[in-house]
Amino acid sequence: MEFETLVQSRRSVRGFKQQQVSRDVVEAIIESGKRAPSSMNTQPWHVHVLTGGPLEELRRRNMEEMVGGAKVKRDIVSHGEYQGVHRNRQVDIAKKLFGAMGIARDDKPMRQDWVLRGFRQFDAPVSLVLTYDRVLDPGAVCHFDLGALCYGIVLAAWDRGLGSVINGQGIMRSDIVREVANIPEDEVIMTCVAMGYPDDGFAANAVRSDREGNDAFVRYVGFAD
């Protein structure tokens, strides 16, 4: 698939078929995704792929902790709650998703269940936990590299018929993720990617987020009019 077509067609998938994803397919996805740009070819990344029993344990423990009111315990520093225009964009996509799923504004149980989907990895059959070498902290360069790897993986998955959700909720209790996946302490857990074959009957999968027009965030300097 041509790159532009691939980017335009890719979307976040929040509902998955309960169909296993083979190790060979994941291996091929990572093989393609790892060609992402890396600062001076440092390749600071690691990928921990969970499925089956370990992923089910991670889902269960995340749910139990968050429903029980446990505090968030990420490895990475959080910006806190979004404000201003960033909050507005967050609310806009939530409204679209809730509308597609028929979740009313005052339906607290269903809204809570939607939030909990993230903690249970959107019920995807595979989760890729992305980490980077702790020795490189503090610094944004390794974060940039990991983001590039993450997007490369998502595009490579879509090209093979798999959907993904880049899922920060899945690592809100990084201590549990570290224990279940046996991730060494010298790696920082940054995010995870829920992955599987899309369920086309899941209404939220048809939702596309809005993007600002280029005039809102792009400046051209030095170009002739």
Side-chain angles (χ1 to χ4, degrees), residues 100-119:
M101 296 298 295
I103 301 174
R105 183 180 179 84
D106 58 352
D107 191 342
K108 292 184 178 179
M110 287 299 295
R111 291 170 75 91
Q112 177 71 1
D113 180 72
W114 182 263
V115 171
L116 292 176
R117 289 180 58 80
F119 295 123

Side-chain angles (χ1 to χ4, degrees), residues 50 54-74 112 115-122 127 129 167-180 189 192:
L50 281 71
L55 181 53
E56 290 304 320
E57 180 183 352
L58 183 58
R59 279 194 245 271
R60 176 182 59 79
R61 292 179 61 182
N62 271 346
M63 289 277 287
E64 289 174 353
E65 291 287 325
M66 300 315 294
V67 170
K71 292 183 178 180
V72 171
K73 191 176 181 181
R74 290 190 184 97
Q112 177 71 1
V115 171
L116 292 176
R117 289 180 58 80
F119 295 123
R120 64 178 192 256
Q121 307 280 329
F122 294 90
S127 177
V129 181
N167 179 24
Q169 288 174 298
I171 54 90
M172 281 188 171
R173 287 304 305 258
S174 293
D175 53 335
I176 295 174
V177 177
R178 185 178 302 281
E179 180 184 340
V180 173
I189 298 170
C192 64

Side-chain angles (χ1 to χ4, degrees), residues 34-112:
K34 73 182 184 184
R35 301 309 305 180
S38 173
S39 175
M40 301 183 187
N41 199 35
T42 50
Q43 302 175 62
W45 48 58
H46 303 270
V47 183
H48 305 266
V49 186
L50 281 71
T51 192
L55 181 53
E56 290 304 320
E57 180 183 352
L58 183 58
R59 279 194 245 271
R60 176 182 59 79
R61 292 179 61 182
N62 271 346
M63 289 277 287
E64 289 174 353
E65 291 287 325
M66 300 315 294
V67 170
K71 292 183 178 180
V72 171
K73 191 176 181 181
R74 290 190 184 97
D75 275 8
I76 58 173
V77 176
S78 172
H79 51 72
E81 293 186 1
Y82 289 114
Q83 303 293 335
V85 65
H86 306 108
R87 173 61 177 170
N88 293 340
R89 292 169 184 155
Q90 180 188 22
V91 170
D92 285 346
I93 188 60
K95 287 179 178 178
K96 280 192 169 187
L97 290 168
F98 289 155
M101 296 298 295
I103 301 174
R105 183 180 179 84
D106 58 352
D107 191 342
K108 292 184 178 179
M110 287 299 295
R111 291 170 75 91
Q112 177 71 1

